[in-house]
Amino acid sequence: VLLRPPEILILSEFFFAVLSGVVFFAAYAPVTIGNKMIDALIYSVTYNGSYLAVEEIITIIVISIPPVKKALDYVKQMANSR
């Protein structure tokens, strides 16, 4: 399956958001649910995945709207003609 640029951007944003969550924020925000500590990686994946999944869905919907798709194709055509 080939990924289109929006999917590549979302996946790279997810990767770096999770990485920064684990590296930088884990020490400052330990999360306890009930009486269990949540691992920083699991928390970061859950937190970042929840809003980035919604962002991906909205992006795909907007890009699929015919006038937007036509405008993006025009911009690509103009960029390739230079």
mmCIF file of all heavy atoms in Angstrom, residues 5-56:
data_model
loop_
_atom_site.group_PDB
_atom_site.id
_atom_site.type_symbol
_atom_site.label_atom_id
_atom_site.label_comp_id
_atom_site.label_asym_id
_atom_site.label_seq_id
_atom_site.Cartn_x
_atom_site.Cartn_y
_atom_site.Cartn_z
ATOM 1 N N PRO A 5 1.176 11.790 0.461
ATOM 2 C CA PRO A 5 1.830 12.769 1.337
ATOM 3 C C PRO A 5 1.070 13.105 2.622
ATOM 4 O O PRO A 5 1.708 13.223 3.673
ATOM 5 C CB PRO A 5 1.998 13.986 0.430
ATOM 6 C CG PRO A 5 2.151 13.394 -0.925
ATOM 7 C CD PRO A 5 1.225 12.200 -0.940
ATOM 8 N N PRO A 6 -0.261 13.274 2.609
ATOM 9 C CA PRO A 6 -0.917 13.568 3.900
ATOM 10 C C PRO A 6 -0.738 12.458 4.929
ATOM 11 O O PRO A 6 -0.530 12.730 6.112
ATOM 12 C CB PRO A 6 -2.397 13.723 3.530
ATOM 13 C CG PRO A 6 -2.393 14.089 2.090
ATOM 14 C CD PRO A 6 -1.212 13.376 1.503
ATOM 15 N N GLU A 7 -0.792 11.206 4.491
ATOM 16 C CA GLU A 7 -0.601 10.101 5.425
ATOM 17 C C GLU A 7 0.830 10.050 5.941
ATOM 18 O O GLU A 7 1.061 9.768 7.119
ATOM 19 C CB GLU A 7 -0.961 8.759 4.783
ATOM 20 C CG GLU A 7 -2.447 8.544 4.594
ATOM 21 C CD GLU A 7 -2.989 9.136 3.318
ATOM 22 O OE1 GLU A 7 -2.185 9.570 2.463
ATOM 23 O OE2 GLU A 7 -4.215 9.186 3.183
ATOM 24 N N ILE A 8 1.782 10.332 5.083
ATOM 25 C CA ILE A 8 3.185 10.342 5.499
ATOM 26 C C ILE A 8 3.407 11.441 6.539
ATOM 27 O O ILE A 8 4.084 11.229 7.550
ATOM 28 C CB ILE A 8 4.116 10.537 4.280
ATOM 29 C CG1 ILE A 8 4.029 9.308 3.367
ATOM 30 C CG2 ILE A 8 5.544 10.783 4.725
ATOM 31 C CD1 ILE A 8 4.711 9.480 2.036
ATOM 32 N N LEU A 9 2.808 12.605 6.316
ATOM 33 C CA LEU A 9 2.951 13.708 7.269
ATOM 34 C C LEU A 9 2.324 13.369 8.609
ATOM 35 O O LEU A 9 2.908 13.636 9.663
ATOM 36 C CB LEU A 9 2.328 14.984 6.701
ATOM 37 C CG LEU A 9 3.064 15.618 5.533
ATOM 38 C CD1 LEU A 9 2.264 16.785 4.964
ATOM 39 C CD2 LEU A 9 4.443 16.074 5.947
ATOM 40 N N ILE A 10 1.133 12.775 8.595
ATOM 41 C CA ILE A 10 0.452 12.429 9.840
ATOM 42 C C ILE A 10 1.245 11.365 10.597
ATOM 43 O O ILE A 10 1.417 11.447 11.819
ATOM 44 C CB ILE A 10 -0.991 11.947 9.579
ATOM 45 C CG1 ILE A 10 -1.837 13.079 9.004
ATOM 46 C CG2 ILE A 10 -1.628 11.379 10.832
ATOM 47 C CD1 ILE A 10 -2.155 14.182 9.973
ATOM 48 N N LEU A 11 1.747 10.356 9.881
ATOM 49 C CA LEU A 11 2.525 9.304 10.549
ATOM 50 C C LEU A 11 3.828 9.853 11.134
ATOM 51 O O LEU A 11 4.220 9.475 12.243
ATOM 52 C CB LEU A 11 2.813 8.153 9.585
ATOM 53 C CG LEU A 11 1.620 7.276 9.242
ATOM 54 C CD1 LEU A 11 1.990 6.262 8.156
ATOM 55 C CD2 LEU A 11 1.106 6.564 10.476
ATOM 56 N N SER A 12 4.484 10.747 10.407
ATOM 57 C CA SER A 12 5.719 11.322 10.954
ATOM 58 C C SER A 12 5.407 12.241 12.135
ATOM 59 O O SER A 12 6.148 12.250 13.123
ATOM 60 C CB SER A 12 6.507 12.062 9.882
ATOM 61 O OG SER A 12 5.777 13.148 9.379
ATOM 62 N N GLU A 13 4.299 12.986 12.060
ATOM 63 C CA GLU A 13 3.899 13.821 13.195
ATOM 64 C C GLU A 13 3.592 12.953 14.417
ATOM 65 O O GLU A 13 3.987 13.274 15.535
ATOM 66 C CB GLU A 13 2.669 14.645 12.823
ATOM 67 C CG GLU A 13 2.214 15.578 13.907
ATOM 68 C CD GLU A 13 0.994 16.382 13.514
ATOM 69 O OE1 GLU A 13 0.521 16.272 12.359
ATOM 70 O OE2 GLU A 13 0.492 17.132 14.370
ATOM 71 N N PHE A 14 2.913 11.823 14.187
ATOM 72 C CA PHE A 14 2.596 10.894 15.272
ATOM 73 C C PHE A 14 3.874 10.353 15.903
ATOM 74 O O PHE A 14 4.024 10.334 17.127
ATOM 75 C CB PHE A 14 1.729 9.754 14.753
ATOM 76 C CG PHE A 14 1.454 8.679 15.765
ATOM 77 C CD1 PHE A 14 0.586 8.907 16.812
ATOM 78 C CD2 PHE A 14 2.064 7.436 15.666
ATOM 79 C CE1 PHE A 14 0.329 7.927 17.755
ATOM 80 C CE2 PHE A 14 1.814 6.448 16.596
ATOM 81 C CZ PHE A 14 0.940 6.698 17.648
ATOM 82 N N PHE A 15 4.811 9.923 15.065
ATOM 83 C CA PHE A 15 6.058 9.362 15.565
ATOM 84 C C PHE A 15 6.800 10.356 16.455
ATOM 85 O O PHE A 15 7.211 10.037 17.568
ATOM 86 C CB PHE A 15 6.953 8.922 14.399
ATOM 87 C CG PHE A 15 8.322 8.492 14.836
ATOM 88 C CD1 PHE A 15 8.519 7.255 15.430
ATOM 89 C CD2 PHE A 15 9.412 9.331 14.677
ATOM 90 C CE1 PHE A 15 9.784 6.855 15.854
ATOM 91 C CE2 PHE A 15 10.676 8.945 15.092
ATOM 92 C CZ PHE A 15 10.856 7.698 15.684
ATOM 93 N N PHE A 16 6.955 11.582 15.961
ATOM 94 C CA PHE A 16 7.719 12.571 16.730
ATOM 95 C C PHE A 16 6.950 13.074 17.945
ATOM 96 O O PHE A 16 7.560 13.421 18.962
ATOM 97 C CB PHE A 16 8.174 13.717 15.828
ATOM 98 C CG PHE A 16 9.280 13.292 14.899
ATOM 99 C CD1 PHE A 16 9.060 13.141 13.543
ATOM 100 C CD2 PHE A 16 10.543 13.009 15.395
ATOM 101 C CE1 PHE A 16 10.076 12.730 12.696
ATOM 102 C CE2 PHE A 16 11.567 12.587 14.566
ATOM 103 C CZ PHE A 16 11.327 12.450 13.205
ATOM 104 N N ALA A 17 5.626 13.112 17.872
ATOM 105 C CA ALA A 17 4.835 13.500 19.047
ATOM 106 C C ALA A 17 4.959 12.448 20.142
ATOM 107 O O ALA A 17 5.104 12.784 21.326
ATOM 108 C CB ALA A 17 3.374 13.695 18.652
ATOM 109 N N VAL A 18 4.905 11.171 19.768
ATOM 110 C CA VAL A 18 5.072 10.088 20.746
ATOM 111 C C VAL A 18 6.483 10.115 21.319
ATOM 112 O O VAL A 18 6.673 10.003 22.533
ATOM 113 C CB VAL A 18 4.751 8.711 20.116
ATOM 114 C CG1 VAL A 18 5.177 7.575 21.024
ATOM 115 C CG2 VAL A 18 3.268 8.608 19.812
ATOM 116 N N LEU A 19 7.457 10.287 20.451
ATOM 117 C CA LEU A 19 8.847 10.344 20.908
ATOM 118 C C LEU A 19 9.051 11.482 21.910
ATOM 119 O O LEU A 19 9.646 11.281 22.971
ATOM 120 C CB LEU A 19 9.783 10.513 19.711
ATOM 121 C CG LEU A 19 11.270 10.520 20.012
ATOM 122 C CD1 LEU A 19 11.703 9.168 20.573
ATOM 123 C CD2 LEU A 19 12.052 10.852 18.758
ATOM 124 N N SER A 20 8.552 12.663 21.595
ATOM 125 C CA SER A 20 8.722 13.779 22.530
ATOM 126 C C SER A 20 7.936 13.549 23.812
ATOM 127 O O SER A 20 8.379 13.934 24.892
ATOM 128 C CB SER A 20 8.303 15.099 21.883
ATOM 129 O OG SER A 20 6.907 15.143 21.688
ATOM 130 N N GLY A 21 6.780 12.901 23.711
ATOM 131 C CA GLY A 21 6.011 12.583 24.907
ATOM 132 C C GLY A 21 6.765 11.658 25.835
ATOM 133 O O GLY A 21 6.748 11.819 27.056
ATOM 134 N N VAL A 22 7.444 10.689 25.263
ATOM 135 C CA VAL A 22 8.204 9.728 26.072
ATOM 136 C C VAL A 22 9.476 10.363 26.618
ATOM 137 O O VAL A 22 9.792 10.237 27.798
ATOM 138 C CB VAL A 22 8.528 8.464 25.238
ATOM 139 C CG1 VAL A 22 9.502 7.569 25.972
ATOM 140 C CG2 VAL A 22 7.252 7.705 24.907
ATOM 141 N N VAL A 23 10.195 11.079 25.786
ATOM 142 C CA VAL A 23 11.493 11.617 26.192
ATOM 143 C C VAL A 23 11.363 12.814 27.131
ATOM 144 O O VAL A 23 12.008 12.863 28.179
ATOM 145 C CB VAL A 23 12.328 12.005 24.944
ATOM 146 C CG1 VAL A 23 13.591 12.739 25.341
ATOM 147 C CG2 VAL A 23 12.649 10.769 24.130
ATOM 148 N N PHE A 24 10.514 13.777 26.769
ATOM 149 C CA PHE A 24 10.488 15.030 27.505
ATOM 150 C C PHE A 24 9.424 15.109 28.597
ATOM 151 O O PHE A 24 9.660 15.701 29.639
ATOM 152 C CB PHE A 24 10.313 16.206 26.546
ATOM 153 C CG PHE A 24 11.457 16.352 25.588
ATOM 154 C CD1 PHE A 24 11.282 16.077 24.247
ATOM 155 C CD2 PHE A 24 12.704 16.743 26.030
ATOM 156 C CE1 PHE A 24 12.335 16.198 23.365
ATOM 157 C CE2 PHE A 24 13.762 16.872 25.157
ATOM 158 C CZ PHE A 24 13.578 16.592 23.814
ATOM 159 N N PHE A 25 8.250 14.559 28.349
ATOM 160 C CA PHE A 25 7.146 14.791 29.263
ATOM 161 C C PHE A 25 6.902 13.662 30.253
ATOM 162 O O PHE A 25 6.129 13.825 31.192
ATOM 163 C CB PHE A 25 5.869 15.093 28.485
ATOM 164 C CG PHE A 25 5.984 16.330 27.637
ATOM 165 C CD1 PHE A 25 6.014 16.242 26.253
ATOM 166 C CD2 PHE A 25 6.094 17.575 28.226
ATOM 167 C CE1 PHE A 25 6.135 17.369 25.478
ATOM 168 C CE2 PHE A 25 6.224 18.719 27.455
ATOM 169 C CZ PHE A 25 6.242 18.620 26.074
ATOM 170 N N ALA A 26 7.532 12.536 30.082
ATOM 171 C CA ALA A 26 7.297 11.395 30.973
ATOM 172 C C ALA A 26 7.702 11.707 32.411
ATOM 173 O O ALA A 26 7.018 11.311 33.349
ATOM 174 C CB ALA A 26 8.045 10.168 30.465
ATOM 175 N N ALA A 27 8.763 12.418 32.587
ATOM 176 C CA ALA A 27 9.229 12.718 33.941
ATOM 177 C C ALA A 27 8.344 13.734 34.654
ATOM 178 O O ALA A 27 8.280 13.745 35.876
ATOM 179 C CB ALA A 27 10.655 13.255 33.881
ATOM 180 N N TYR A 28 7.651 14.561 33.894
ATOM 181 C CA TYR A 28 6.852 15.623 34.493
ATOM 182 C C TYR A 28 5.396 15.247 34.728
ATOM 183 O O TYR A 28 4.714 15.911 35.492
ATOM 184 C CB TYR A 28 6.904 16.874 33.606
ATOM 185 C CG TYR A 28 8.297 17.390 33.433
ATOM 186 C CD1 TYR A 28 8.958 17.262 32.227
ATOM 187 C CD2 TYR A 28 8.967 17.981 34.497
ATOM 188 C CE1 TYR A 28 10.256 17.720 32.065
ATOM 189 C CE2 TYR A 28 10.260 18.446 34.352
ATOM 190 C CZ TYR A 28 10.900 18.314 33.131
ATOM 191 O OH TYR A 28 12.178 18.763 32.989
ATOM 192 N N ALA A 29 4.911 14.249 34.031
ATOM 193 C CA ALA A 29 3.487 13.938 34.126
ATOM 194 C C ALA A 29 3.252 12.442 34.286
ATOM 195 O O ALA A 29 2.743 11.785 33.390
ATOM 196 C CB ALA A 29 2.769 14.444 32.884
ATOM 197 N N PRO A 30 3.626 11.885 35.426
ATOM 198 C CA PRO A 30 3.282 10.471 35.634
ATOM 199 C C PRO A 30 1.768 10.336 35.748
ATOM 200 O O PRO A 30 1.112 11.152 36.392
ATOM 201 C CB PRO A 30 3.977 10.113 36.938
ATOM 202 C CG PRO A 30 4.194 11.405 37.622
ATOM 203 C CD PRO A 30 4.314 12.456 36.559
ATOM 204 N N VAL A 31 1.227 9.358 35.079
ATOM 205 C CA VAL A 31 -0.221 9.202 35.031
ATOM 206 C C VAL A 31 -0.619 7.981 35.834
ATOM 207 O O VAL A 31 -0.091 6.893 35.635
ATOM 208 C CB VAL A 31 -0.696 9.053 33.571
ATOM 209 C CG1 VAL A 31 -2.194 8.835 33.526
ATOM 210 C CG2 VAL A 31 -0.310 10.278 32.772
ATOM 211 N N THR A 32 -1.561 8.180 36.749
ATOM 212 C CA THR A 32 -2.080 7.084 37.546
ATOM 213 C C THR A 32 -3.572 6.968 37.268
ATOM 214 O O THR A 32 -4.303 7.950 37.374
ATOM 215 C CB THR A 32 -1.863 7.340 39.048
ATOM 216 O OG1 THR A 32 -0.480 7.587 39.262
ATOM 217 C CG2 THR A 32 -2.310 6.163 39.877
ATOM 218 N N ILE A 33 -3.993 5.785 36.875
ATOM 219 C CA ILE A 33 -5.415 5.500 36.692
ATOM 220 C C ILE A 33 -5.768 4.445 37.720
ATOM 221 O O ILE A 33 -5.244 3.334 37.674
ATOM 222 C CB ILE A 33 -5.731 5.037 35.266
ATOM 223 C CG1 ILE A 33 -5.399 6.156 34.282
ATOM 224 C CG2 ILE A 33 -7.190 4.621 35.152
ATOM 225 C CD1 ILE A 33 -5.626 5.805 32.838
ATOM 226 N N GLY A 34 -6.663 4.798 38.617
ATOM 227 C CA GLY A 34 -6.929 3.896 39.732
ATOM 228 C C GLY A 34 -5.687 3.849 40.594
ATOM 229 O O GLY A 34 -5.232 4.868 41.087
ATOM 230 N N ASN A 35 -5.142 2.660 40.781
ATOM 231 C CA ASN A 35 -3.889 2.561 41.525
ATOM 232 C C ASN A 35 -2.784 1.970 40.652
ATOM 233 O O ASN A 35 -1.851 1.379 41.139
ATOM 234 C CB ASN A 35 -4.085 1.721 42.798
ATOM 235 C CG ASN A 35 -4.706 0.379 42.504
ATOM 236 O OD1 ASN A 35 -5.085 0.125 41.367
ATOM 237 N ND2 ASN A 35 -4.823 -0.471 43.504
ATOM 238 N N LYS A 36 -2.903 2.157 39.314
ATOM 239 C CA LYS A 36 -1.899 1.654 38.382
ATOM 240 C C LYS A 36 -1.211 2.823 37.688
ATOM 241 O O LYS A 36 -1.859 3.750 37.239
ATOM 242 C CB LYS A 36 -2.553 0.772 37.314
ATOM 243 C CG LYS A 36 -3.117 -0.536 37.850
ATOM 244 C CD LYS A 36 -3.761 -1.308 36.732
ATOM 245 C CE LYS A 36 -2.756 -2.296 36.187
ATOM 246 N NZ LYS A 36 -3.342 -3.152 35.150
ATOM 247 N N MET A 37 0.103 2.752 37.626
ATOM 248 C CA MET A 37 0.866 3.729 36.861
ATOM 249 C C MET A 37 0.818 3.331 35.387
ATOM 250 O O MET A 37 0.974 2.160 35.050
ATOM 251 C CB MET A 37 2.321 3.767 37.319
ATOM 252 C CG MET A 37 2.538 4.442 38.652
ATOM 253 S SD MET A 37 2.182 6.190 38.596
ATOM 254 C CE MET A 37 3.552 6.769 37.640
ATOM 255 N N ILE A 38 0.595 4.294 34.540
ATOM 256 C CA ILE A 38 0.558 4.048 33.101
ATOM 257 C C ILE A 38 1.943 4.351 32.533
ATOM 258 O O ILE A 38 2.526 5.402 32.807
ATOM 259 C CB ILE A 38 -0.505 4.935 32.422
ATOM 260 C CG1 ILE A 38 -1.886 4.672 33.007
ATOM 261 C CG2 ILE A 38 -0.517 4.731 30.924
ATOM 262 C CD1 ILE A 38 -2.394 3.275 32.802
ATOM 263 N N ASP A 39 2.452 3.448 31.734
ATOM 264 C CA ASP A 39 3.746 3.626 31.084
ATOM 265 C C ASP A 39 3.701 4.858 30.183
ATOM 266 O O ASP A 39 2.693 5.142 29.537
ATOM 267 C CB ASP A 39 4.064 2.375 30.276
ATOM 268 C CG ASP A 39 5.423 2.431 29.636
ATOM 269 O OD1 ASP A 39 6.389 2.802 30.305
ATOM 270 O OD2 ASP A 39 5.516 2.075 28.447
ATOM 271 N N ALA A 40 4.798 5.601 30.143
ATOM 272 C CA ALA A 40 4.859 6.831 29.354
ATOM 273 C C ALA A 40 4.615 6.564 27.873
ATOM 274 O O ALA A 40 3.949 7.355 27.199
ATOM 275 C CB ALA A 40 6.210 7.506 29.548
ATOM 276 N N LEU A 41 5.132 5.465 27.355
ATOM 277 C CA LEU A 41 4.936 5.144 25.943
ATOM 278 C C LEU A 41 3.464 4.889 25.646
ATOM 279 O O LEU A 41 2.917 5.413 24.672
ATOM 280 C CB LEU A 41 5.777 3.930 25.549
ATOM 281 C CG LEU A 41 5.618 3.460 24.106
ATOM 282 C CD1 LEU A 41 6.055 4.540 23.137
ATOM 283 C CD2 LEU A 41 6.400 2.185 23.880
ATOM 284 N N ILE A 42 2.807 4.102 26.476
ATOM 285 C CA ILE A 42 1.392 3.797 26.262
ATOM 286 C C ILE A 42 0.563 5.076 26.351
ATOM 287 O O ILE A 42 -0.325 5.323 25.523
ATOM 288 C CB ILE A 42 0.901 2.750 27.280
ATOM 289 C CG1 ILE A 42 1.594 1.422 27.013
ATOM 290 C CG2 ILE A 42 -0.611 2.584 27.212
ATOM 291 C CD1 ILE A 42 1.361 0.390 28.089
ATOM 292 N N TYR A 43 0.852 5.901 27.344
ATOM 293 C CA TYR A 43 0.116 7.154 27.488
ATOM 294 C C TYR A 43 0.335 8.056 26.278
ATOM 295 O O TYR A 43 -0.614 8.642 25.745
ATOM 296 C CB TYR A 43 0.537 7.877 28.768
ATOM 297 C CG TYR A 43 -0.182 9.183 28.950
ATOM 298 C CD1 TYR A 43 -1.493 9.220 29.389
ATOM 299 C CD2 TYR A 43 0.454 10.387 28.652
ATOM 300 C CE1 TYR A 43 -2.160 10.420 29.544
ATOM 301 C CE2 TYR A 43 -0.202 11.587 28.804
ATOM 302 C CZ TYR A 43 -1.508 11.598 29.250
ATOM 303 O OH TYR A 43 -2.167 12.786 29.396
ATOM 304 N N SER A 44 1.574 8.182 25.831
ATOM 305 C CA SER A 44 1.886 9.048 24.709
ATOM 306 C C SER A 44 1.230 8.559 23.421
ATOM 307 O O SER A 44 0.686 9.357 22.651
ATOM 308 C CB SER A 44 3.397 9.152 24.531
ATOM 309 O OG SER A 44 3.726 10.110 23.565
ATOM 310 N N VAL A 45 1.266 7.256 23.180
ATOM 311 C CA VAL A 45 0.621 6.687 21.993
ATOM 312 C C VAL A 45 -0.886 6.928 22.039
ATOM 313 O O VAL A 45 -1.502 7.331 21.042
ATOM 314 C CB VAL A 45 0.929 5.176 21.859
ATOM 315 C CG1 VAL A 45 0.020 4.512 20.843
ATOM 316 C CG2 VAL A 45 2.387 4.974 21.486
ATOM 317 N N THR A 46 -1.499 6.707 23.197
ATOM 318 C CA THR A 46 -2.938 6.893 23.332
ATOM 319 C C THR A 46 -3.326 8.359 23.157
ATOM 320 O O THR A 46 -4.254 8.686 22.414
ATOM 321 C CB THR A 46 -3.412 6.397 24.714
ATOM 322 O OG1 THR A 46 -3.013 5.037 24.869
ATOM 323 C CG2 THR A 46 -4.904 6.506 24.858
ATOM 324 N N TYR A 47 -2.627 9.224 23.846
ATOM 325 C CA TYR A 47 -2.952 10.651 23.783
ATOM 326 C C TYR A 47 -2.777 11.198 22.366
ATOM 327 O O TYR A 47 -3.674 11.821 21.809
ATOM 328 C CB TYR A 47 -2.079 11.434 24.771
ATOM 329 C CG TYR A 47 -2.295 12.913 24.684
ATOM 330 C CD1 TYR A 47 -3.379 13.504 25.316
ATOM 331 C CD2 TYR A 47 -1.425 13.724 23.965
ATOM 332 C CE1 TYR A 47 -3.597 14.871 25.232
ATOM 333 C CE2 TYR A 47 -1.637 15.087 23.881
ATOM 334 C CZ TYR A 47 -2.716 15.654 24.507
ATOM 335 O OH TYR A 47 -2.923 16.997 24.412
ATOM 336 N N ASN A 48 -1.601 10.972 21.784
ATOM 337 C CA ASN A 48 -1.318 11.523 20.459
ATOM 338 C C ASN A 48 -2.128 10.836 19.374
ATOM 339 O O ASN A 48 -2.555 11.474 18.415
ATOM 340 C CB ASN A 48 0.177 11.448 20.165
ATOM 341 C CG ASN A 48 0.965 12.388 21.033
ATOM 342 O OD1 ASN A 48 0.738 13.584 21.024
ATOM 343 N ND2 ASN A 48 1.862 11.845 21.835
ATOM 344 N N GLY A 49 -2.334 9.535 19.510
ATOM 345 C CA GLY A 49 -3.133 8.808 18.525
ATOM 346 C C GLY A 49 -4.577 9.257 18.496
ATOM 347 O O GLY A 49 -5.209 9.274 17.438
ATOM 348 N N SER A 50 -5.110 9.641 19.651
ATOM 349 C CA SER A 50 -6.521 10.023 19.701
ATOM 350 C C SER A 50 -6.800 11.272 18.873
ATOM 351 O O SER A 50 -7.765 11.311 18.121
ATOM 352 C CB SER A 50 -6.964 10.230 21.150
ATOM 353 O OG SER A 50 -6.278 11.317 21.731
ATOM 354 N N TYR A 51 -5.965 12.273 18.967
ATOM 355 C CA TYR A 51 -6.270 13.478 18.187
ATOM 356 C C TYR A 51 -5.710 13.412 16.765
ATOM 357 O O TYR A 51 -6.276 13.994 15.841
ATOM 358 C CB TYR A 51 -5.802 14.755 18.911
ATOM 359 C CG TYR A 51 -4.346 15.081 18.823
ATOM 360 C CD1 TYR A 51 -3.832 15.792 17.767
ATOM 361 C CD2 TYR A 51 -3.476 14.675 19.835
ATOM 362 C CE1 TYR A 51 -2.487 16.102 17.698
ATOM 363 C CE2 TYR A 51 -2.136 14.990 19.775
ATOM 364 C CZ TYR A 51 -1.645 15.699 18.714
ATOM 365 O OH TYR A 51 -0.323 16.004 18.641
ATOM 366 N N LEU A 52 -4.625 12.680 16.545
ATOM 367 C CA LEU A 52 -4.078 12.591 15.190
ATOM 368 C C LEU A 52 -4.940 11.714 14.284
ATOM 369 O O LEU A 52 -5.002 11.940 13.075
ATOM 370 C CB LEU A 52 -2.638 12.093 15.224
ATOM 371 C CG LEU A 52 -1.635 13.130 15.717
ATOM 372 C CD1 LEU A 52 -0.259 12.508 15.888
ATOM 373 C CD2 LEU A 52 -1.568 14.307 14.775
ATOM 374 N N ALA A 53 -5.627 10.731 14.856
ATOM 375 C CA ALA A 53 -6.540 9.913 14.048
ATOM 376 C C ALA A 53 -7.690 10.774 13.529
ATOM 377 O O ALA A 53 -8.069 10.687 12.352
ATOM 378 C CB ALA A 53 -7.073 8.742 14.868
ATOM 379 N N VAL A 54 -8.212 11.634 14.397
ATOM 380 C CA VAL A 54 -9.287 12.543 13.983
ATOM 381 C C VAL A 54 -8.764 13.520 12.929
ATOM 382 O O VAL A 54 -9.446 13.791 11.929
ATOM 383 C CB VAL A 54 -9.852 13.298 15.207
ATOM 384 C CG1 VAL A 54 -10.852 14.349 14.783
ATOM 385 C CG2 VAL A 54 -10.487 12.319 16.178
ATOM 386 N N GLU A 55 -7.563 14.018 13.126
ATOM 387 C CA GLU A 55 -6.966 14.937 12.145
ATOM 388 C C GLU A 55 -6.815 14.254 10.789
ATOM 389 O O GLU A 55 -7.090 14.860 9.748
ATOM 390 C CB GLU A 55 -5.611 15.423 12.655
ATOM 391 C CG GLU A 55 -4.936 16.397 11.717
ATOM 392 C CD GLU A 55 -3.581 16.849 12.217
ATOM 393 O OE1 GLU A 55 -3.310 16.746 13.428
ATOM 394 O OE2 GLU A 55 -2.781 17.300 11.389
ATOM 395 N N GLU A 56 -6.380 13.006 10.785
ATOM 396 C CA GLU A 56 -6.208 12.260 9.529
ATOM 397 C C GLU A 56 -7.542 12.086 8.812
ATOM 398 O O GLU A 56 -7.639 12.269 7.596
ATOM 399 C CB GLU A 56 -5.572 10.895 9.812
ATOM 400 C CG GLU A 56 -5.466 10.004 8.607
ATOM 401 C CD GLU A 56 -4.471 10.469 7.566
ATOM 402 O OE1 GLU A 56 -3.681 11.381 7.836
ATOM 403 O OE2 GLU A 56 -4.489 9.906 6.459
#
